[in-house]
Amino acid sequence: IFFKGNLECLYEKNSIAIIGTRNPTEQGKQVAEDLAKSYAKEGFVIVSGLASGCDTFAHMGSLSNFGRTIAVMPCGLDIVYPKQNTNLFKNIIDNDGCVISEYPPGQNVSKYQLIERDRLQSALSEGIIVIESTINGGSFHTVNYGFNQNKIVACYKPNQHYLNIKTAKGNIKLLQNEEVLPIYDKESLDEF
């Protein structure tokens, strides 16, 4: 494993992966940020993949509440993917977080590596929360790794206004699985 920042984050017992689509609704962005803020306040390390969308807002939510966060990269650490998250990458390192990769410097991103990265996001967390996902979204890879690794898996339950939106279709599918905990209020979050 290659890393930059505080490697101790990887050994933290209280950690939550907050993941989701790269193209979330405004509500999805807010939910990702709010959940990360809330867990950071309770001392949890937030794990995500630095991708655009839900991952970005999860990392930002943690940092805004002085929390630690881990970004799992699908490429060498001399490359920031996506490039628009260069400042976020630096902020994670500068604020006691950690950026990790299993790929050496110079290794570019591939579809396969994006999927492999999902396995580490699950492995580094006690549980996984999916914020928003399309029916065939990459979040399903993380969820499947989570089931194989005996992690607790939860999914944000969209309200009635979002049921027909593409980025909520994956949530609806996930919530049909009895092993997936629905997150929709403070009580369900506490149960998770």
Side-chain angles (χ1 to χ4, degrees):
I1 296 286
F2 298 86
F3 76 97
K4 289 185 177 184
N6 180 8
L7 191 61
E8 292 300 313
C9 292
L10 275 62
Y11 304 105
E12 179 60 54
K13 200 168 187 188
N14 294 329
S15 57
I16 302 290
I18 298 179
I19 60 167
T21 182
R22 288 179 176 85
N23 300 300
T25 62
E26 290 302 314
Q27 181 186 27
K29 293 174 186 176
Q30 194 65 58
V31 169
E33 190 168 3
D34 289 348
L35 286 178
K37 280 181 185 177
S38 176
Y39 277 111
K41 184 177 181 182
E42 293 179 32
F44 281 79
V45 172
I46 304 303
V47 180
S48 206
L50 201 79
S52 302
C54 292
D55 291 16
T56 295
F57 285 90
H59 291 303
M60 287 174 22
S62 177
L63 292 170
S64 72
N65 221 5
F66 308 102
R68 293 177 299 155
T69 185
I70 300 169
V72 184
M73 302 298 291
C75 54
L77 295 181
D78 56 333
I79 301 167
V80 178
Y81 180 82
K83 195 165 187 69
Q84 73 252 27
N85 277 347
T86 299
N87 286 337
L88 182 56
F89 182 97
K90 290 176 185 172
N91 286 340
I92 290 170
I93 295 165
D94 291 344
N95 289 282
D96 209 26
C98 191
V99 181
I100 69 162
S101 176
E102 60 185 325
Y103 304 105
Q107 180 70 50
N108 286 317
V109 179
S110 75
K111 183 178 180 181
Y112 176 75
Q113 290 164 203
L114 288 164
I115 295 169
E116 286 294 300
R117 179 242 341 244
D118 295 341
R119 155 184 126 272
L120 293 178
Q121 288 180 109
S122 172
L124 291 170
S125 65
E126 286 186 272
I128 300 161
I129 301 176
V130 177
I131 303 299
E132 285 183 350
S133 178
T134 59
I135 205 94
N136 295 316
S139 298
F140 279 81
H141 295 295
T142 309
V143 167
N144 288 331
Y145 285 124
F147 286 139
N148 290 334
Q149 297 167 354
N150 296 314
K151 305 294 180 172
I152 302 167
V153 178
C155 181
Y156 179 71
K157 184 177 179 181
N159 67 38
Q160 297 294 333
H161 302 294
Y162 288 87
L163 293 180
N164 291 322
I165 293 176
K166 185 178 177 182
T167 57
K169 298 290 186 187
N171 295 51
I172 294 163
K173 180 179 177 180
L174 280 171
L175 290 168
Q176 291 171 352
N177 182 335
E178 291 179 2
E179 291 182 71
V180 176
L181 297 172
I183 301 283
Y184 51 89
D185 62 7
K186 174 96 171 87
E187 189 175 317
S188 61
L189 198 57
D190 289 344
E191 182 183 340
F192 171 74

